Amino acid sequence: MRSAEDLGGSHGRRLRRGVLDDGREVFVKTGAASDAFASEAAGLRWLGEVVDVPEVVEVGRDRLVLSWVCEEPPTPAAAETFGRALARLHRAGAPGFGAPWPGFIATLPMDNAPVDDWPTFYAARRVLPFLRMARLPASDVVLVERAVDRIAEVAGPAEPPARIHGDLWSGNVLWSGGSGVLIDPAAHGGHRETDLAMLALFGLPYLDRVLGAYREAFPLAEGWRERVPLHQLHPLLVHVVLFGGGYRDSLMDAVRRVSAL
């Protein structure tokens, strides 16, 4: 590498912007040896069969090197283009609920072993494992477990596995080339409403335009807005695990809304 600029750290990893000997600009993520880098690379390549993602230049146990994404301000037109691209990604589908590579969200492992139906996958592979890690008061745990017991009842019409990003908060969408470029995936076969609920969790520029274009390209089942809190249970539990009780109120609000469906 000809040069490298330190961009700081995230979740115990160092981030750098570099220039390779051949002049290509790259984004470099390094950290302790882990399967997480290979998992991220596999997810990017899988998503990249359908939508824009950075190119995987190199991957190893302790590093991931990606092509650099030149960012630009978001626009309504770019948001609509991104909405259609996201619909195309979800329509591409997946062999089942899960993935053939180990799952990670940030540095936390996730079980991607396939499950036949989404309610069981979501409960057993996403919500309950993080509930066990969250160190919530016993009374909160009981309420979350009651909400989990209702997943099959309130999940809406059954859908085939969608090809989803899996951690689609606004920070994992880079605006470039007149659309959104996906980064840092926790990619797997899942429910398409999960990605949309994650976009809503922390906000996204022109989200209404994204959703409008998405729904024109790939209409959603009735009641999808009411199911947003269901799909936010997992990311909110992840935030409780990573960042502590500051996210407890948001989590328990989502639990109450799920229980009221």
Side-chain angles (χ1 to χ4, degrees), residues 142-154:
V142 169
L143 293 175
V144 176
E145 289 176 338
R146 287 177 182 169
V148 169
D149 288 341
R150 300 200 68 222
I151 290 175
E153 178 185 350
V154 302

Side-chain angles (χ1 to χ4, degrees), residues 23-114:
R24 285 181 294 168
E25 283 192 280
V26 292
F27 175 78
V28 183
K29 184 185 299 187
T30 58
S34 167
D35 291 331
F37 294 114
S39 176
E40 182 176 340
L44 284 170
R45 289 169 174 145
W46 190 52
L47 300 180
E49 294 174 2
V50 186
V51 296
D52 291 336
V53 301
E55 175 192 356
V56 177
V57 177
E58 181 185 1
V59 61
R61 292 274 298 159
D62 60 352
R63 68 195 178 282
L64 178 64
V65 182
L66 305 173
S67 60
W68 184 261
V69 176
C70 295
E71 294 185 69
E72 60 195 24
T75 65
E80 292 175 2
T81 299
F82 175 58
R84 290 188 289 271
L86 192 58
R88 189 167 64 251
L89 175 69
H90 292 166
R91 275 193 184 275
F97 295 106
W101 50 78
F104 287 85
I105 189 162
T107 54
L108 300 174
M110 295 191 298
D111 188 351
N112 275 343

Side-chain angles (χ1 to χ4, degrees), residues 187-219:
H188 63 280
H191 198 302
R192 61 194 179 113
E193 291 177 13
T194 296
D195 273 351
L196 304 182
M198 191 67 175
L199 285 175
L201 187 56
F202 300 115
L204 182 79
Y206 305 111
L207 179 58
D208 58 334
R209 296 291 189 99
V210 173
L211 294 175
Y214 180 100
R215 293 173 64 198
E216 286 182 6
F218 195 4

